[in-house]
């Protein structure tokens, strides 16, 4: 009898072990049987997940497991990669984001993104934060724009450090400050969801702590999805955790449950450091 | 795992190991030496070129001039129509006043050869500008003719037998008398850049060629800059990667390697014969140069666009910027220093291009700078070509001087490119 592992992966269906929250939150983003192909290579094998509103969901898993791929489906950044193809359905507030009628520019305004390496624009700190509101026409006046910039920088806990040098280039800040500037830039357009793709992997421990603290504060107002290689970080900042392995969502559930009492053996092996 | 046997410790100080290291260092030194030798050769050859140009060209940067008192007699120049005066007599008389002993017409003609053939027109222009001198004397400095210019600069030797040089002993004696009277000077030759071409070397200048080159480059820039950038943006940012775009890409790369004379033939066949545009015009020259520069522009612009880090594009896309906004707000400003550098280097290349301009007739003999894009003109490299072909002694040094002027423009343009790159380059 052929075991499951011997069949071609493309023909298999994979089961995800789910543990619901004790007090379920409303669903913000929902993935249903999402498959992603890069040319002929399949990167995701039918991922289904409910991501709760106003909470931090962490995606963990070894390199190449598809967690970043899934994250980049949520704001359709995969569209920019030649040969990438997405099957299945992802909804934001019950609306299919791959619907041909949906405006991808609007989607990306509603789903902000913070990248692995801090990538401020080579412009002033002010212009970095003001860019989103400007292109989306969110500010009615110059004073309004200044108000958005200052409140975004305050929400990103960067205001006190940069308020006297808003006209200096954003690239002149330290790595941790740059990443918080990128977060301020993302929240300046008042998104519903913020995607973070390993936001602390290029930062030192002190800057990491600051960003983690910030993520914790932001969850009161935003749905946050964070991809991380650090299990400690996932444990510290997230309420729910999803474990990906080889393009499959293996297990997802409340963070403390995943880290203390995982059901799947692979999850257990990964979080105890047996592979990864 | 037990079958892996450890090898013994390495003898790092053994004789063979020391010898190995020694030969490695020797190889390092050899490589360094080859590099230095190559650079020295290159700089040496460049230096040789500059020295040989400068040693012949410097003569053209000064011009021997003779100051004479021209008697503007009322019998020759009528006050009511000074333009029609007999200025030939005025010029002859000015010389005869100094050399009254010259009486026979052949000798008088020989005497007249000392100063430029166009002296009569210069006197006429001076009189027209100031008619009050009619009836009096006009003191004017005019260029000497080319043989005496060369004599004064030492390019014609007095030791050569008389029948082997362009000036006779008698003429040298006359010229020396002028020198004794302090009438001969050799000031800086501004006419080299203010005069247009002439049959007489002492009068020939680069004004026409510089103006023609300027117009042609202007046309070249106006055409190739926007077309090149637009094509590069489409190919780099919008075009799907398929067989057609691959084909276009290969063809653009091939076009960059097409000999420039082929573009000249194209210009002759299409712009002149088919569209009937005027010959020798800077407009056509610029269009042909634009065709030639376009592939370079596209390649340079694409390289600059490619060099913009993807993180900046992602950041902008992630903010919800549209493709147009990503390109116009972020990618293009960051690529601009590279694009400008490439543009200036492309234009510098176009400035020095000769072959296509020869085919569309920009090597004509034209004695006034072009007044517009459609007027016949030469360009700097074609002017050099014309002068290099001219037999007069004075054109030898003027050719070198023109090359130096062209090189000067090229150095300035490359300097601007370096300046722009350093000034505009932003770090991220």
């Amino acid at each position: 009898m052929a075991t499951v592992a011997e069949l071609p992966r493309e023909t298999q269906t994979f089961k995800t072990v789910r543990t619901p929250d004790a007090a379920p939150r409303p669903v913000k983003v929902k993935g249903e049987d999402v498959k992603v192909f890069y040319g002929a290579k399949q990167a995701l094998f039918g991922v289904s997940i409910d991501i709760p509103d106003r909470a931090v969901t962490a995606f963990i898993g070894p390199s190449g497991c598809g967690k970043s791929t899934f994250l980049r489906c949520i704001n359709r950044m995969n569209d920019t990669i030649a040969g990438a193809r997405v099957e299945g359905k992802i909804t934001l507030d019950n609306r299919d984001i791959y619907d041909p009628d949906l405006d991808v520019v609007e989607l990306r305004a509603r789903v902000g993104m913070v990248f692995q390496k801090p990538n401020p624009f080579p412009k002033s700190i002010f212009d970095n934060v003001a860019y989103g509101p400007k292109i989306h026409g969110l500010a009615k006046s110059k004073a309004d724009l200044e108000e958005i910039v200052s409140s975004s920088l305050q929400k990103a806990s960067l205001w006190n450090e940069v308020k006297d040098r808003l006209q200096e280039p954003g690239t002149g800040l330290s790595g941790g400050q740059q990443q918080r500037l990128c977060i301020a830039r993302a929240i300046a357009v008042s998104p519903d969801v913020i995607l973070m793709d390993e936001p602390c992997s290029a930062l030192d421990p002190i800057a990491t702590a600051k960003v983690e603290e910030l993520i914790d504060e932001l969850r009161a107002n935003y749905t946050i999805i964070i991809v991380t290689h650090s299990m400690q970080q996932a444990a510290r900042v997230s309420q729910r955790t999803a474990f990906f392995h080889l393009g499959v969502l293996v297990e997802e559930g409340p963070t403390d449950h995943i880290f203390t009492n995982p059901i799947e053996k692979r999850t257990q092996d990964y979080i105890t450091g047996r592979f990864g | 795992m037990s079958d892996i046997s450890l090898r013994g410790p390495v003898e790092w100080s053994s004789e063979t190991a020391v010898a190995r290291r020694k030969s490695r260092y020797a190889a390092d030194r050899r490589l360094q030496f080859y590099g230095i030798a190559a650079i020295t050769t290159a700089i040496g050859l460049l230096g040789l070129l500059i020295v040989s140009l400068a040693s012949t060209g410097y003569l053209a940067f000064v011009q021997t001039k003779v100051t004479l008192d021209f008697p503007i007699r009322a019998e020759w120049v009528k006050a009511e129509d000074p333009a029609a005066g007999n200025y030939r007599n005025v010029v002859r008389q000015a010389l005869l006043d100094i050399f009254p002993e010259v009486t026979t017409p052949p000798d008088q003609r020989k005497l007249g050869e000392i100063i430029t053939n166009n002296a009569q027109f210069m006197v006429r222009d001076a009189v027209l500008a100031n008619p009050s001198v009619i009836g009096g004397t006009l003191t004017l400095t005019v260029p000497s003719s080319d043989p005496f210019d060369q004599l004064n600069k030492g390019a014609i030797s007095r030791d050569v037998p008389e029948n082997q040089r362009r000036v006779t002993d008698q003429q040298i004696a006359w010229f020396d008398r002028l020198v004794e009277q302090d009438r001969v000077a050799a000031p800086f030759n501004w006419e080299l850049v203010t005069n247009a071409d002439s049959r007489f070397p002492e009068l020939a200048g680069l004004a026409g060629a510089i103006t023609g080159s300027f117009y042609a480059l202007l046309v070249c820039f106006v055409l190739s800059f926007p077309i090149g950038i637009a094509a590069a943006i489409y190919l780099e940012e919008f075009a799907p990667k398929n067989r057609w775009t691959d084909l276009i890409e290969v063809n653009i790369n091939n076009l960059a390697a097409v000999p420039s004379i082929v573009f000249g033939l194209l210009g002759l066949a299409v712009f002149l014969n088919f569209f009937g545009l005027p010959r020798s015009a800077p407009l056509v020259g610029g269009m042909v140069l634009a065709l030639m520069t376009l592939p370079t522009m596209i390649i340079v612009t694409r390289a600059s666009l490619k060099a913009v880090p993807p993180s900046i594009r992602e950041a902008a896309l992630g903010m919800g910027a549209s493709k147009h906004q990503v390109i116009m707000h972020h990618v293009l400003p960051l690529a601009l220093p590279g694009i400008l550098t490439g543009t200036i280097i492309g234009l510098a290349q176009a400035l020095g291009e000769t072959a296509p301009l020869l085919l569309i007739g920009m090597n004509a003999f034209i004695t006034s700078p072009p007044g517009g894009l459609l007027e016949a003109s030469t360009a700097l490299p074609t002017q050099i070509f014309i002068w290099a072909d001219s037999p007069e002694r004075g054109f030898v040094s003027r050719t070198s001087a023109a090359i130096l002027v062209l090189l000067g423009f090229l150095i300035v343009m490359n300097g601007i490119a370096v300046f722009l790159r350093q000034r505009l380059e932003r770090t991220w």
Side-chain angles (χ1 to χ4, degrees), chain B residues 92-108:
Chain B
R92 191 171 52 201
Q93 193 57 49
L95 285 165
L96 291 181
D97 285 349
I98 303 169
F99 304 101
E101 73 278 13
V102 181
T103 47
T104 64
D107 278 353
Q108 286 179 353

Side-chain angles (χ1 to χ4, degrees), chain A residues 72 75 77 80 105 108-109 111-113 115 119-123 131-132 135-136 171 185-186 189, chain B residues 241 310-323 325-326 329-330 333-334 426-428:
Chain A
R72 295 166 71 95
N75 67 347
M77 283 299 271
T80 59
V105 164
R108 290 192 189 133
V111 183
M113 188 156 190
F115 295 84
N119 57 355
F121 299 130
K123 297 173 189 276
Y131 184 69
I135 61 171
H136 295 295
T171 43
R185 184 176 68 184
V189 289
Chain B
K241 296 275 168 286
S311 64
I312 297 292
R313 283 167 217 267
E314 286 196 325
L317 280 174
M319 292 301 299
S322 65
K323 205 150 193 174
Q325 286 169 329
V326 174
H329 296 171
H330 301 285
L334 286 176
R426 283 192 279 188
T427 50
W428 48 75

Side-chain angles (χ1 to χ4, degrees), chain A residues 4-14 33 35-37 39-46 85 87 246 248:
Chain A
V4 171
E6 285 164 358
L7 292 167
R9 286 178 64 82
E10 286 75 11
T11 62
Q12 296 175 35
T13 48
F14 296 93
D33 198 24
K35 292 175 180 157
V36 176
F37 302 83
K41 195 174 163 285
Q42 188 168 1
L44 277 185
F45 297 85
R85 183 160 56 86
E87 283 178 11
L246 297 175
V248 175

Side-chain angles (χ1 to χ4, degrees), chain A residues 189-254:
Chain A
V189 289
S190 311
D192 297 339
V193 181
I194 302 176
L195 310 176
M196 297 189 176
D197 191 355
E198 298 179 41
C200 301
S201 64
L203 305 185
D204 66 42
I206 295 167
T208 302
K210 282 201 171 155
V211 171
E212 286 181 6
E213 207 177 298
L214 173 60
I215 292 171
D216 204 45
E217 285 165 19
L218 292 174
R219 91 178 136 96
N221 297 311
Y222 305 97
T223 300
I224 295 173
I225 307 172
I226 176 171
V227 164
T228 177
H229 267 295
S230 155
M231 253 123 12
Q232 291 87 340
Q233 185 171 59
R236 281 193 298 262
V237 300
S238 71
Q239 281 73 56
R240 282 187 76 80
T241 297
F243 170 62
F244 287 75
H245 184 225
L246 297 175
V248 175
L249 176 57
V250 175
E251 181 167 0
E252 58 120 353

Side-chain angles (χ1 to χ4, degrees), chain A residues 160-179:
Chain A
N160 288 334
E161 290 158 65
V162 301
K163 64 183 173 199
D164 300 323
R165 44 179 180 142
L166 290 176
Q167 294 311 320
E168 284 176 29
T171 43
L173 297 172
S174 74
Q177 287 174 326
Q178 286 189 17
Q179 196 60 299

